[in-house]
Amino acid sequence: MLWLPPTPISVVAICADGAASCPQGSQAVAAGSGQDAPDTDPATKPDIEPVPPPAGGLKIGATLRARYDLRFNDVGSAGQRRTSSHLSFDTLALTADYTSDRFFGSAQYRFFGGNFIYGRSAGYDVYPGEVNFLMYAYAGAKLTEQDSLTAGVQPVPFDDRYWGSSILNDLAFVYGMEEVYNLGVKYRRETPRYRIELGFFPSAGPAGFGISRDSSRYSTNIVRADAYVPDGSNNDERDMLIGNVRYTLADRDGTTLHATVSGWLSTIRNADTRRNGSKRVFAASLTAANGPWHAKALIARQDIDPRNPGRNDIISVGGFDSSYNIAAKGHYVFAEVGRAIDTGSLPVEVTPYVNYGRFFKENETFNDSERLDIGAVWMSKGQKRVKVYTEMMLGRNDPYVGAGQFASGAAQGGDNRWKASFMAIFGYSF
């Protein structure tokens, strides 16, 4: 999913060559992730969170981020292939959190724009805040020590909130499976042995402000496509029933092993045909930790019937103020391993990681999408106000890696060649 998440994630998206609102393969999008919530326990995330209050209460915070990009497979204004280097503003995130013995709540709003990602060639006026949107806003009550109920725009309970350590999340974010924020109600029960989460979400979170038709949002949601998307569809997702069950298989001597199964059932409404289709996504995962090591393996099945007026093997999704197509049906596999390194008296903590994801598309004429990410999270000790992500990404038919892959890379595929880029995100929270 990607450049500023609550971990901000970073989304480096490149439009198709010649797109109406993103011509000549110019950059169109960047992304992020958000702040940690009560129902999150990733190994290294989130990367945007205010310093917690000493004993509950209200905490207002902000995170300011910059980024450096080295793109080995970019494209110039005349369409020539080139390597490009950029140092620019990334994001401003404003966060509010409240906790008490009985109640809790959290909200985050993000501001983008004014950098090379949102450039004039893509139709922007290039000023900070030109693209902005609500990431999440929810409130909840602790019913018992084990049970809670949450309402608002919040993370949906499909597996864990974050699947890996990358600031861009992994390839599942591209397909709208990982770190999604929708509007609804969620029940959660957690004991030392198991966790149960079940939510009903009537709709996706609201779109914010930008120049796209329906894609100024953090999550990758099903949207009404922009004009530059070939065979773009006009859909929205409704009445989502999403839940998971996690069971602890082992927890002793510093070793934990969790097994999780998840399901996602919803209605897909097409604005052109006025017909209702469906979305069915299921996943199973194993998450392990042993001392400084962490690992995860996941497999998922996605089956979307969009009831489009044209082809039904693709559907348009969007986020960070741009839209693109994905394959409607396929299987996804993901794996990550990482290790926290003891830095002794040094003022920083570091956790290197490597992960790999691949979407196997059901349509045999489509080229599969893949991403290999080798990175590290650097965080200051103490109040942890400084956080830096460094990542080398290798992608094939990946919308976020390499020019010319954006509009159709996750659907039919791009040029089916491996592309590479390096990114560093620098954040300070106060």
Side-chain angles (χ1 to χ4, degrees), residues 35 48-51 58-64 92-97 107-109 385 428-430:
Q35 153 183 352
I48 284 190
E49 65 177 333
V51 179
L58 178 65
K59 172 64 180 179
I60 304 297
T63 297
L64 184 63
L92 172 64
L94 304 179
T95 307
D97 288 277
Q108 185 172 129
Y109 203 92
R385 293 183 183 273
Y428 180 79
S429 297
F430 49 93

PDB file of all heavy atoms in Angstrom, residues 35 48-51 58-64 92-97 107-109 385 428-430:
ATOM      1  N   GLN A  35      -1.513   6.295  12.584  1.00  0.00           N
ATOM      2  CA  GLN A  35      -0.994   6.048  13.917  1.00  0.00           C
ATOM      3  C   GLN A  35      -1.543   4.772  14.548  1.00  0.00           C
ATOM      4  O   GLN A  35      -2.586   4.297  14.195  1.00  0.00           O
ATOM      5  CB  GLN A  35      -1.381   7.200  14.790  1.00  0.00           C
ATOM      6  CG  GLN A  35      -1.432   6.629  16.105  1.00  0.00           C
ATOM      7  CD  GLN A  35      -1.851   7.522  17.141  1.00  0.00           C
ATOM      8  OE1 GLN A  35      -2.001   8.683  16.953  1.00  0.00           O
ATOM      9  NE2 GLN A  35      -2.018   6.945  18.247  1.00  0.00           N
ATOM     10  N   ILE A  48       3.911   6.979  12.688  1.00  0.00           N
ATOM     11  CA  ILE A  48       3.371   8.306  12.979  1.00  0.00           C
ATOM     12  C   ILE A  48       2.507   8.140  14.208  1.00  0.00           C
ATOM     13  O   ILE A  48       1.416   7.625  14.145  1.00  0.00           O
ATOM     14  CB  ILE A  48       2.500   8.837  11.847  1.00  0.00           C
ATOM     15  CG1 ILE A  48       3.362   9.304  10.709  1.00  0.00           C
ATOM     16  CG2 ILE A  48       1.651   9.981  12.337  1.00  0.00           C
ATOM     17  CD1 ILE A  48       2.644  10.059   9.658  1.00  0.00           C
ATOM     18  N   GLU A  49       3.005   8.523  15.324  1.00  0.00           N
ATOM     19  CA  GLU A  49       2.200   8.502  16.532  1.00  0.00           C
ATOM     20  C   GLU A  49       2.736   9.524  17.508  1.00  0.00           C
ATOM     21  O   GLU A  49       3.940   9.712  17.629  1.00  0.00           O
ATOM     22  CB  GLU A  49       2.196   7.115  17.182  1.00  0.00           C
ATOM     23  CG  GLU A  49       3.528   6.647  17.700  1.00  0.00           C
ATOM     24  CD  GLU A  49       3.412   5.296  18.400  1.00  0.00           C
ATOM     25  OE1 GLU A  49       2.344   4.982  18.921  1.00  0.00           O
ATOM     26  OE2 GLU A  49       4.401   4.571  18.413  1.00  0.00           O
ATOM     27  N   PRO A  50       1.828  10.222  18.183  1.00  0.00           N
ATOM     28  CA  PRO A  50       2.288  11.214  19.151  1.00  0.00           C
ATOM     29  C   PRO A  50       2.873  10.536  20.375  1.00  0.00           C
ATOM     30  O   PRO A  50       2.581   9.379  20.667  1.00  0.00           O
ATOM     31  CB  PRO A  50       1.002  11.966  19.497  1.00  0.00           C
ATOM     32  CG  PRO A  50      -0.077  10.963  19.276  1.00  0.00           C
ATOM     33  CD  PRO A  50       0.383  10.135  18.103  1.00  0.00           C
ATOM     34  N   VAL A  51       3.710  11.246  21.103  1.00  0.00           N
ATOM     35  CA  VAL A  51       4.233  10.722  22.357  1.00  0.00           C
ATOM     36  C   VAL A  51       3.061  10.531  23.311  1.00  0.00           C
ATOM     37  O   VAL A  51       2.274  11.447  23.525  1.00  0.00           O
ATOM     38  CB  VAL A  51       5.247  11.697  22.966  1.00  0.00           C
ATOM     39  CG1 VAL A  51       5.771  11.161  24.281  1.00  0.00           C
ATOM     40  CG2 VAL A  51       6.389  11.937  21.991  1.00  0.00           C
ATOM     41  N   LEU A  58      -6.098  13.305  27.069  1.00  0.00           N
ATOM     42  CA  LEU A  58      -6.049  13.740  25.678  1.00  0.00           C
ATOM     43  C   LEU A  58      -4.643  14.138  25.291  1.00  0.00           C
ATOM     44  O   LEU A  58      -3.959  14.850  26.023  1.00  0.00           O
ATOM     45  CB  LEU A  58      -6.995  14.920  25.474  1.00  0.00           C
ATOM     46  CG  LEU A  58      -7.029  15.530  24.063  1.00  0.00           C
ATOM     47  CD1 LEU A  58      -7.582  14.536  23.059  1.00  0.00           C
ATOM     48  CD2 LEU A  58      -7.841  16.819  24.071  1.00  0.00           C
ATOM     49  N   LYS A  59      -4.207  13.693  24.111  1.00  0.00           N
ATOM     50  CA  LYS A  59      -2.899  14.042  23.576  1.00  0.00           C
ATOM     51  C   LYS A  59      -3.051  14.533  22.144  1.00  0.00           C
ATOM     52  O   LYS A  59      -3.621  13.845  21.296  1.00  0.00           O
ATOM     53  CB  LYS A  59      -1.957  12.836  23.618  1.00  0.00           C
ATOM     54  CG  LYS A  59      -0.628  13.059  22.900  1.00  0.00           C
ATOM     55  CD  LYS A  59       0.205  14.137  23.542  1.00  0.00           C
ATOM     56  CE  LYS A  59       1.527  14.329  22.795  1.00  0.00           C
ATOM     57  NZ  LYS A  59       2.338  15.397  23.396  1.00  0.00           N
ATOM     58  N   ILE A  60      -2.572  15.734  21.891  1.00  0.00           N
ATOM     59  CA  ILE A  60      -2.575  16.300  20.545  1.00  0.00           C
ATOM     60  C   ILE A  60      -1.145  16.269  20.029  1.00  0.00           C
ATOM     61  O   ILE A  60      -0.213  16.681  20.726  1.00  0.00           O
ATOM     62  CB  ILE A  60      -3.090  17.751  20.549  1.00  0.00           C
ATOM     63  CG1 ILE A  60      -4.475  17.830  21.184  1.00  0.00           C
ATOM     64  CG2 ILE A  60      -3.110  18.306  19.131  1.00  0.00           C
ATOM     65  CD1 ILE A  60      -5.539  17.068  20.442  1.00  0.00           C
ATOM     66  N   GLY A  61      -0.949  15.778  18.815  1.00  0.00           N
ATOM     67  CA  GLY A  61       0.391  15.676  18.276  1.00  0.00           C
ATOM     68  C   GLY A  61       0.439  15.957  16.792  1.00  0.00           C
ATOM     69  O   GLY A  61      -0.591  16.099  16.126  1.00  0.00           O
ATOM     70  N   ALA A  62       1.643  16.044  16.267  1.00  0.00           N
ATOM     71  CA  ALA A  62       1.860  16.261  14.840  1.00  0.00           C
ATOM     72  C   ALA A  62       3.137  15.556  14.429  1.00  0.00           C
ATOM     73  O   ALA A  62       4.061  15.393  15.223  1.00  0.00           O
ATOM     74  CB  ALA A  62       1.949  17.751  14.522  1.00  0.00           C
ATOM     75  N   THR A  63       3.155  15.120  13.191  1.00  0.00           N
ATOM     76  CA  THR A  63       4.354  14.523  12.608  1.00  0.00           C
ATOM     77  C   THR A  63       4.645  15.205  11.279  1.00  0.00           C
ATOM     78  O   THR A  63       3.758  15.351  10.439  1.00  0.00           O
ATOM     79  CB  THR A  63       4.179  13.009  12.387  1.00  0.00           C
ATOM     80  OG1 THR A  63       3.991  12.363  13.649  1.00  0.00           O
ATOM     81  CG2 THR A  63       5.406  12.416  11.707  1.00  0.00           C
ATOM     82  N   LEU A  64       5.885  15.642  11.114  1.00  0.00           N
ATOM     83  CA  LEU A  64       6.326  16.282   9.873  1.00  0.00           C
ATOM     84  C   LEU A  64       7.341  15.369   9.218  1.00  0.00           C
ATOM     85  O   LEU A  64       8.270  14.888   9.879  1.00  0.00           O
ATOM     86  CB  LEU A  64       6.948  17.641  10.181  1.00  0.00           C
ATOM     87  CG  LEU A  64       7.386  18.494   8.977  1.00  0.00           C
ATOM     88  CD1 LEU A  64       6.173  18.865   8.133  1.00  0.00           C
ATOM     89  CD2 LEU A  64       8.111  19.747   9.465  1.00  0.00           C
ATOM     90  N   LEU A  92       2.420  16.206   6.395  1.00  0.00           N
ATOM     91  CA  LEU A  92       2.125  16.710   7.730  1.00  0.00           C
ATOM     92  C   LEU A  92       0.908  15.962   8.232  1.00  0.00           C
ATOM     93  O   LEU A  92      -0.141  15.951   7.575  1.00  0.00           O
ATOM     94  CB  LEU A  92       1.854  18.211   7.700  1.00  0.00           C
ATOM     95  CG  LEU A  92       1.341  18.815   9.021  1.00  0.00           C
ATOM     96  CD1 LEU A  92       2.401  18.693  10.124  1.00  0.00           C
ATOM     97  CD2 LEU A  92       0.907  20.264   8.832  1.00  0.00           C
ATOM     98  N   ALA A  93       1.035  15.304   9.384  1.00  0.00           N
ATOM     99  CA  ALA A  93      -0.063  14.554   9.978  1.00  0.00           C
ATOM    100  C   ALA A  93      -0.399  15.141  11.340  1.00  0.00           C
ATOM    101  O   ALA A  93       0.490  15.321  12.180  1.00  0.00           O
ATOM    102  CB  ALA A  93       0.310  13.084  10.116  1.00  0.00           C
ATOM    103  N   LEU A  94      -1.673  15.454  11.554  1.00  0.00           N
ATOM    104  CA  LEU A  94      -2.161  15.958  12.831  1.00  0.00           C
ATOM    105  C   LEU A  94      -2.966  14.858  13.507  1.00  0.00           C
ATOM    106  O   LEU A  94      -3.861  14.271  12.895  1.00  0.00           O
ATOM    107  CB  LEU A  94      -3.030  17.199  12.630  1.00  0.00           C
ATOM    108  CG  LEU A  94      -2.379  18.365  11.873  1.00  0.00           C
ATOM    109  CD1 LEU A  94      -3.363  19.520  11.735  1.00  0.00           C
ATOM    110  CD2 LEU A  94      -1.095  18.815  12.558  1.00  0.00           C
ATOM    111  N   THR A  95      -2.650  14.597  14.786  1.00  0.00           N
ATOM    112  CA  THR A  95      -3.233  13.452  15.471  1.00  0.00           C
ATOM    113  C   THR A  95      -3.780  13.857  16.833  1.00  0.00           C
ATOM    114  O   THR A  95      -3.184  14.678  17.533  1.00  0.00           O
ATOM    115  CB  THR A  95      -2.182  12.348  15.665  1.00  0.00           C
ATOM    116  OG1 THR A  95      -1.588  12.045  14.405  1.00  0.00           O
ATOM    117  CG2 THR A  95      -2.813  11.082  16.221  1.00  0.00           C
ATOM    118  N   ALA A  96      -4.927  13.270  17.195  1.00  0.00           N
ATOM    119  CA  ALA A  96      -5.507  13.438  18.523  1.00  0.00           C
ATOM    120  C   ALA A  96      -5.844  12.062  19.075  1.00  0.00           C
ATOM    121  O   ALA A  96      -6.423  11.227  18.365  1.00  0.00           O
ATOM    122  CB  ALA A  96      -6.756  14.314  18.465  1.00  0.00           C
ATOM    123  N   ASP A  97      -5.473  11.818  20.337  1.00  0.00           N
ATOM    124  CA  ASP A  97      -5.762  10.530  20.985  1.00  0.00           C
ATOM    125  C   ASP A  97      -6.288  10.772  22.388  1.00  0.00           C
ATOM    126  O   ASP A  97      -5.801  11.662  23.105  1.00  0.00           O
ATOM    127  CB  ASP A  97      -4.496   9.677  21.065  1.00  0.00           C
ATOM    128  CG  ASP A  97      -4.089   9.139  19.723  1.00  0.00           C
ATOM    129  OD1 ASP A  97      -4.635   8.114  19.302  1.00  0.00           O
ATOM    130  OD2 ASP A  97      -3.224   9.763  19.089  1.00  0.00           O
ATOM    131  N   ALA A 107      -7.963  10.153  16.169  1.00  0.00           N
ATOM    132  CA  ALA A 107      -8.220  10.755  14.851  1.00  0.00           C
ATOM    133  C   ALA A 107      -6.905  11.230  14.264  1.00  0.00           C
ATOM    134  O   ALA A 107      -5.991  11.638  14.982  1.00  0.00           O
ATOM    135  CB  ALA A 107      -9.196  11.924  14.972  1.00  0.00           C
ATOM    136  N   GLN A 108      -6.816  11.157  12.943  1.00  0.00           N
ATOM    137  CA  GLN A 108      -5.642  11.683  12.246  1.00  0.00           C
ATOM    138  C   GLN A 108      -6.049  12.263  10.898  1.00  0.00           C
ATOM    139  O   GLN A 108      -6.842  11.669  10.158  1.00  0.00           O
ATOM    140  CB  GLN A 108      -4.581  10.600  12.029  1.00  0.00           C
ATOM    141  CG  GLN A 108      -3.300  11.163  11.415  1.00  0.00           C
ATOM    142  CD  GLN A 108      -2.175  10.158  11.368  1.00  0.00           C
ATOM    143  OE1 GLN A 108      -1.564   9.949  10.326  1.00  0.00           O
ATOM    144  NE2 GLN A 108      -1.860   9.530  12.491  1.00  0.00           N
ATOM    145  N   TYR A 109      -5.502  13.438  10.600  1.00  0.00           N
ATOM    146  CA  TYR A 109      -5.735  14.119   9.330  1.00  0.00           C
ATOM    147  C   TYR A 109      -4.386  14.378   8.682  1.00  0.00           C
ATOM    148  O   TYR A 109      -3.431  14.775   9.350  1.00  0.00           O
ATOM    149  CB  TYR A 109      -6.477  15.437   9.538  1.00  0.00           C
ATOM    150  CG  TYR A 109      -7.207  15.906   8.300  1.00  0.00           C
ATOM    151  CD1 TYR A 109      -8.540  15.555   8.099  1.00  0.00           C
ATOM    152  CD2 TYR A 109      -6.572  16.674   7.323  1.00  0.00           C
ATOM    153  CE1 TYR A 109      -9.223  15.969   6.958  1.00  0.00           C
ATOM    154  CE2 TYR A 109      -7.241  17.085   6.187  1.00  0.00           C
ATOM    155  CZ  TYR A 109      -8.562  16.717   6.005  1.00  0.00           C
ATOM    156  OH  TYR A 109      -9.232  17.115   4.873  1.00  0.00           O
ATOM    157  N   ARG A 385      10.918  10.213  19.134  1.00  0.00           N
ATOM    158  CA  ARG A 385      10.336  11.262  18.303  1.00  0.00           C
ATOM    159  C   ARG A 385      10.823  11.204  16.851  1.00  0.00           C
ATOM    160  O   ARG A 385      10.150  11.661  15.944  1.00  0.00           O
ATOM    161  CB  ARG A 385      10.668  12.637  18.889  1.00  0.00           C
ATOM    162  CG  ARG A 385       9.993  12.913  20.232  1.00  0.00           C
ATOM    163  CD  ARG A 385      10.314  14.318  20.704  1.00  0.00           C
ATOM    164  NE  ARG A 385       9.731  14.587  22.012  1.00  0.00           N
ATOM    165  CZ  ARG A 385       8.499  15.043  22.205  1.00  0.00           C
ATOM    166  NH1 ARG A 385       7.720  15.258  21.158  1.00  0.00           N
ATOM    167  NH2 ARG A 385       8.046  15.280  23.420  1.00  0.00           N
ATOM    168  N   TYR A 428       9.590  13.405  12.155  1.00  0.00           N
ATOM    169  CA  TYR A 428       9.767  13.906  13.516  1.00  0.00           C
ATOM    170  C   TYR A 428       8.390  14.174  14.106  1.00  0.00           C
ATOM    171  O   TYR A 428       7.561  14.876  13.498  1.00  0.00           O
ATOM    172  CB  TYR A 428      10.593  15.183  13.539  1.00  0.00           C
ATOM    173  CG  TYR A 428      10.802  15.726  14.934  1.00  0.00           C
ATOM    174  CD1 TYR A 428      11.768  15.175  15.786  1.00  0.00           C
ATOM    175  CD2 TYR A 428      10.003  16.766  15.426  1.00  0.00           C
ATOM    176  CE1 TYR A 428      11.947  15.656  17.073  1.00  0.00           C
ATOM    177  CE2 TYR A 428      10.188  17.262  16.718  1.00  0.00           C
ATOM    178  CZ  TYR A 428      11.153  16.697  17.541  1.00  0.00           C
ATOM    179  OH  TYR A 428      11.324  17.171  18.819  1.00  0.00           O
ATOM    180  N   SER A 429       8.122  13.594  15.279  1.00  0.00           N
ATOM    181  CA  SER A 429       6.825  13.755  15.943  1.00  0.00           C
ATOM    182  C   SER A 429       6.967  14.663  17.145  1.00  0.00           C
ATOM    183  O   SER A 429       7.956  14.595  17.896  1.00  0.00           O
ATOM    184  CB  SER A 429       6.297  12.385  16.387  1.00  0.00           C
ATOM    185  OG  SER A 429       6.072  11.538  15.273  1.00  0.00           O
ATOM    186  N   PHE A 430       5.978  15.537  17.341  1.00  0.00           N
ATOM    187  CA  PHE A 430       6.019  16.445  18.483  1.00  0.00           C
ATOM    188  C   PHE A 430       4.599  16.727  18.975  1.00  0.00           C
ATOM    189  O   PHE A 430       3.631  16.296  18.367  1.00  0.00           O
ATOM    190  CB  PHE A 430       6.727  17.755  18.118  1.00  0.00           C
ATOM    191  CG  PHE A 430       6.247  18.389  16.851  1.00  0.00           C
ATOM    192  CD1 PHE A 430       5.243  19.341  16.861  1.00  0.00           C
ATOM    193  CD2 PHE A 430       6.808  18.014  15.612  1.00  0.00           C
ATOM    194  CE1 PHE A 430       4.808  19.936  15.689  1.00  0.00           C
ATOM    195  CE2 PHE A 430       6.374  18.612  14.433  1.00  0.00           C
ATOM    196  CZ  PHE A 430       5.366  19.564  14.474  1.00  0.00           C
TER     197      PHE A 430
END
